[in-house]
Amino acid sequence: MGMGPSSPQPWQHHRFCCALLVLVLFVFLWGTSQANEELAALPPRGWNSYDSFSWTVDEISYLQNAQILAEKLLPHGYQYAVIDFLWYRKYVDGAHTDSYGFDNIDEWGRPFPDLQRFPSSRVDRGFSQIASKVHAMGLKFGIHLMKGISVQAVNANTPILDIKTGKPYIEDGRQWTARDIGLTDRTCAWMPHGFMSVNTDTGAGRAFSRSIYRQYADWGVDFVKVDCIFGTDYSPEEIITISELLQEIDRPIILSLSPGTEVTPALAENISDHVNMYRITGDDWDNWNDVSSHFSVSSSFAAAKKIGATGLRGRSWPDLDMLPFGWLTDPSVNQGPHRKCNLTLDEQKTQIALWSMAKSPLMYGGDLRHLDDITLSIITNPILLKINHYSKNNMEFHYLYSERTSKKEHSVHFKSPYHVDLTKNDGMFVGLTACNDDTASGWYMFSQDGKPNHICRNYEIQNDKSISFCLGKAKPLLASGIITMDNMEHQLKFCLSVGNTSDTCLDASAGQRRTASEIRFPMFSACRWHAKQMWELNANGNLVSSYSGLCATVKSRNEACAWVATGSKGEIYLAFFNLDSTSRKMAARMSDLGLVLRRALLRKHLCSCTEVWSGKNFSLTKDEISAVVNPHASMVFEIIC
């Protein structure tokens, strides 16, 4: 007679229970450690699809890039693989950046991936399959998001998911829908047919946002880049709400803001605590004007001690945007990579040198399938990557001696005491900042022929005379069909024009995405009674935009500058940047370096000084570091004493 299976013994039950308890404890502790992990302890690095694919990236191309990222760049700290915008838009005729009706949204008004471009998303109408593959490569998975809710969802009046019940959200005895939370007067300025802000003051608004970010966590998302929510599209309530919702989730998720058009330290003051990285410029593309526009703004954030400041569950980093090197596409086109980077090698080296000295996140933008050895050597330079992650005391160095090597040096200054033709960019440009910023005050009414027809601001002194930057004050005629304001408000507000005419007026926010260099040029369009063109001069000397509540300022550009930082082992890093179109001789004294860094450099003859790009050694016997720097080039020195 055969023996049947014996019943489990008591000790076997005990062993099984102990093993189960250990497993549960491990999962709990792992989850706790993940939730308590310091996010963005160092400036994040990775790859983003936008510069090479615009919005047309598909699953195959993305995973191919991710695989190369894991093989060639992950050893150098590049770990985030990010799918940029419109991954939910159908790639068909008629679809483009601001097209309407082509987005995939679920029954709750939430976007899901285009199933033609991302076929694995058919499994769950999400990115969980792709995220699993990316995680298996040792990478982290990121996606781009637009702010708020889609116009398509609002027009469809979709119900709002209550993730606590799995049913439509109900409050005050009624079911809430997309039309209850969408702010139709807060559509994205450069994508008005795409997305609008959500009313986060309502429980329904928070419930919608909660359902979105919980879904992304379920997909395995490690990084979210939220767009049209900062800079001239400033929406602090939404930013803080997203940050709070991410803190409810056990999974650590990096929060990045984009773009950063007209961002200043004052504007970021109340936001940096709630995010991990935030753009401080418009989009950076592969032209020198874009690159050179980053020097002034990065210096201001360094001076404000915002580099590595407290952030969401960790640190926050001012973000200078992606590195548009290698094989690229063009802004907002329906086309993938098709051309080489337009920056010279010197300009590419200058860009990553500034990004490293300013400790910006490093997100490579080119198609990694065409990554060449020269570009790879630039973005993996070990000294620059060490500076980017581990240096301290990063700041602009103001004790720089610089002169053109050519005797044909000339400069252009404003001569007019009032009217300045803003269609000519002679080194000055209008910017926006928080109204409590010191640079926001000083505007005044200037009268000509007895009429207060100019708004001006003094920006420098020449020959004991104030040189002013002025705009014409205009009252536009009200076109039919345009909503007007009440008479009192009408009297207080005005447009700003190129001259005394009312043909073209200054906009406070663009109708399309602007590159970093385009911020230097004022935005003019036909004058009309619209909040984007309305300004008010207050008693504090602030020129206030009716659209964003930000204030105007006047900015200038430099022709040369230097940065300094210190290393973890006592190294000193000095970088020369020539922003000029001709070679410049640049020099810095060791005594000035010691003064700025508060270090006594008494035994300079024992110090070594090596230029990072060339590997050349420089002597310090003359108490200075001096070199001729090529146009648009940089030199980075590592000083070890």
Side-chain angles (χ1 to χ4, degrees):
M1 190 175 191
M3 299 289 292
S6 59
S7 300
Q9 298 298 313
W11 62 270
Q12 291 176 309
H13 282 293
H14 179 71
R15 176 180 289 177
F16 174 77
C17 290
C18 287
L20 182 61
L21 180 62
V22 170
L23 178 61
V24 171
L25 182 60
F26 171 78
V27 171
F28 171 76
L29 292 175
W30 180 85
T32 301
S33 66
Q34 289 283 296
N36 293 332
E37 173 189 350
E38 184 179 30
L39 283 182
L42 301 171
R45 296 177 190 159
W47 175 81
N48 180 291
S49 64
Y50 180 68
D51 285 353
S52 45
F53 291 93
S54 184
W55 66 274
T56 67
V57 68
D58 58 29
E59 184 168 344
I60 293 176
S61 300
Y62 169 77
L63 289 175
Q64 288 173 343
N65 273 273
Q67 186 63 51
I68 299 169
L69 179 69
E71 294 171 357
K72 295 188 175 182
L73 294 180
L74 181 59
H76 302 280
Y78 292 82
Q79 61 176 330
Y80 291 95
V82 182
I83 297 175
D84 210 88
F85 77 149
L86 302 184
W87 40 264
Y88 36 81
R89 185 152 297 174
K90 298 171 185 175
Y91 188 29
V92 296
D93 290 343
H96 54 85
T97 299
D98 191 35
S99 57
Y100 175 81
F102 296 94
D103 293 349
N104 293 289
I105 59 172
D106 66 15
E107 64 273 25
W108 306 107
R110 303 175 301 180
F112 64 87
D114 175 14
L115 302 182
Q116 295 298 316
R117 286 191 288 150
F118 302 99
S120 70
S121 296
R122 291 189 177 96
V123 174
D124 62 349
R125 291 201 302 182
F127 277 131
S128 60
Q129 301 298 305
I130 291 180
S132 294
K133 293 179 181 179
V134 169
H135 293 153
M137 298 176 192
L139 301 172
K140 295 188 177 182
F141 177 62
I143 58 174
H144 173 286
L145 312 169
M146 293 299 296
K147 70 172 181 181
I149 188 170
S150 74
V151 175
Q152 203 170 312
V154 171
N155 289 343
N157 204 26
T158 54
I160 295 167
L161 174 64
D162 185 342
I163 63 171
K164 298 176 182 178
T165 65
K167 299 178 180 179
Y169 181 83
I170 296 176
E171 185 180 356
D172 296 332
R174 70 178 182 91
Q175 180 176 311
W176 290 63
T177 62
R179 288 180 185 168
D180 295 319
I181 64 171
L183 300 177
T184 56
D185 61 338
R186 291 287 300 175
T187 56
C188 179
W190 52 269
M191 196 190 288
H193 298 99
F195 288 82
M196 66 180 70
S197 292
V198 162
N199 185 353
T200 56
D201 291 335
T202 64
R206 292 181 68 90
F208 175 79
S209 299
R210 181 178 290 109
S211 72
I212 280 193
Y213 287 95
R214 183 61 59 89
Q215 181 182 61
Y216 298 150
D218 292 342
W219 290 351
V221 171
D222 306 295
F223 180 108
V224 291
K225 173 184 174 182
V226 185
D227 211 329
C228 206
I229 199 170
F230 198 41
T232 52
D233 297 287
Y234 189 46
S235 183
E237 298 84 2
E238 286 185 275
I239 295 171
I240 293 172
T241 296
I242 294 170
S243 181
E244 291 172 347
L245 294 176
L246 289 178
Q247 292 182 72
E248 295 177 2
I249 299 171
D250 290 337
R251 184 178 192 83
I253 298 177
I254 293 282
L255 176 55
S256 168
L257 303 183
S258 169
T261 312
E262 304 290 5
V263 169
T264 61
L267 187 67
E269 185 62 36
N270 298 322
I271 294 302
S272 58
D273 286 359
H274 302 279
V275 302
N276 301 110
M277 47 190 279
Y278 53 98
R279 284 270 299 283
I280 59 175
T281 68
D283 288 350
D284 175 69
W285 280 92
D286 55 323
N287 68 77
W288 175 248
N289 286 335
D290 277 8
V291 175
S292 62
S293 69
H294 288 73
F295 284 86
S296 177
V297 66
S298 58
S299 174
S300 66
F301 275 82
K305 307 297 183 184
K306 301 304 290 183
I307 297 176
T310 299
L312 171 62
R313 289 178 168 176
R315 299 289 166 189
S316 63
W317 306 93
D319 178 14
L320 298 180
D321 202 12
M322 290 170 280
L323 300 169
F325 303 163
W327 203 249
L328 305 169
T329 186
D330 294 301
S332 300
V333 297
N334 292 18
Q335 188 177 8
H338 60 275
R339 64 176 181 84
K340 293 182 179 179
C341 172
N342 289 319
L343 295 172
T344 67
L345 289 180
D346 275 344
E347 290 169 345
Q348 292 178 53
K349 291 177 179 179
T350 293
Q351 179 164 357
I352 196 168
L354 175 64
W355 268 233
S356 296
M357 293 296 290
K359 303 193 72 170
S360 169
L362 299 180
M363 291 288 178
Y364 185 74
D367 186 351
L368 290 171
R369 297 172 299 182
H370 295 273
L371 181 63
D372 60 86
D373 291 340
I374 294 177
T375 304
L376 178 62
S377 68
I378 291 175
I379 64 176
T380 60
N381 182 286
I383 302 299
L384 290 178
L385 293 186
K386 182 171 65 171
I387 294 171
N388 176 253
H389 265 183
Y390 302 112
S391 61
K392 298 179 180 179
N393 303 309
N394 306 70
M395 69 185 90
E396 184 176 358
F397 179 70
H398 295 285
Y399 296 83
L400 175 68
Y401 301 86
S402 171
E403 63 180 5
R404 282 184 169 182
T405 56
S406 169
K407 295 183 179 180
K408 297 180 181 180
E409 180 174 1
H410 67 280
S411 59
V412 179
H413 299 284
F414 291 123
K415 302 299 183 182
S416 171
Y418 50 95
H419 172 63
V420 174
D421 186 352
L422 283 179
T423 60
K424 297 178 181 178
N425 182 31
D426 292 332
M428 304 300 297
F429 57 99
V430 176
L432 292 174
T433 184
C435 294
N436 60 355
D437 193 319
D438 291 340
T439 64
S441 60
W443 292 92
Y444 61 93
M445 199 84 70
F446 178 82
S447 298
Q448 187 181 28
D449 299 328
K451 298 178 181 180
N453 51 12
H454 287 84
I455 305 295
C456 300
R457 186 178 187 276
N458 296 336
Y459 69 89
E460 67 176 45
I461 303 293
Q462 289 183 12
N463 300 323
D464 297 325
K465 294 182 179 180
S466 295
I467 305 300
S468 299
F469 182 98
C470 298
L471 289 164
K473 179 184 174 186
K475 284 283 187 180
L477 297 175
L478 302 185
S480 61
I482 296 179
I483 299 174
T484 61
M485 306 175 187
D486 61 59
N487 287 335
M488 181 61 69
E489 194 171 6
H490 179 97
Q491 294 300 319
L492 294 175
K493 298 181 185 295
F494 46 82
C495 292
L496 296 171
S497 64
V498 173
N500 294 324
T501 68
S502 297
D503 296 333
T504 57
C505 289
L506 182 68
D507 291 318
S509 184
Q512 60 184 18
R513 285 187 75 110
R514 304 175 75 202
T515 67
S517 59
E518 285 173 335
I519 298 170
R520 292 180 174 183
F521 297 88
M523 300 169 285
F524 284 100
S525 63
C527 294
R528 56 197 178 102
W529 197 251
H530 188 287
K532 293 180 183 178
Q533 292 186 336
M534 303 316 302
W535 303 83
E536 180 179 355
L537 182 65
N538 67 21
N540 296 323
N542 299 134
L543 188 58
V544 187
S545 163
S546 298
Y547 174 69
S548 63
L550 300 177
C551 285
T553 185
V554 178
K555 300 179 180 180
S556 62
R557 61 183 179 184
N558 298 322
E559 294 179 331
C561 69
W563 275 66
V564 68
T566 57
S568 58
K569 297 181 180 179
E571 311 97 317
I572 296 175
Y573 297 106
L574 173 67
F576 288 162
F577 297 102
N578 181 9
L579 313 186
D580 204 350
S581 57
T582 189
S583 297
R584 297 186 77 92
K585 181 179 180 180
M586 304 173 71
R589 294 174 181 167
M590 291 294 290
S591 55
D592 289 335
L593 283 174
L595 177 67
V596 170
L597 298 174
R598 299 180 181 179
R599 288 176 55 177
L601 302 175
L602 301 178
R603 306 175 71 181
K604 293 181 286 294
H605 62 286
L606 298 179
C607 298
S608 65
C609 178
T610 305
E611 202 282 312
V612 170
W613 293 121
S614 64
K616 179 182 177 181
N617 293 321
F618 281 69
S619 172
L620 298 177
T621 56
K622 295 183 179 180
D623 188 44
E624 74 171 21
I625 299 173
S626 177
V628 174
V629 185
N630 291 333
H632 300 177
S634 64
M635 300 184 78
V636 183
F637 303 94
E638 183 179 46
I639 305 166
I640 301 176
C641 299

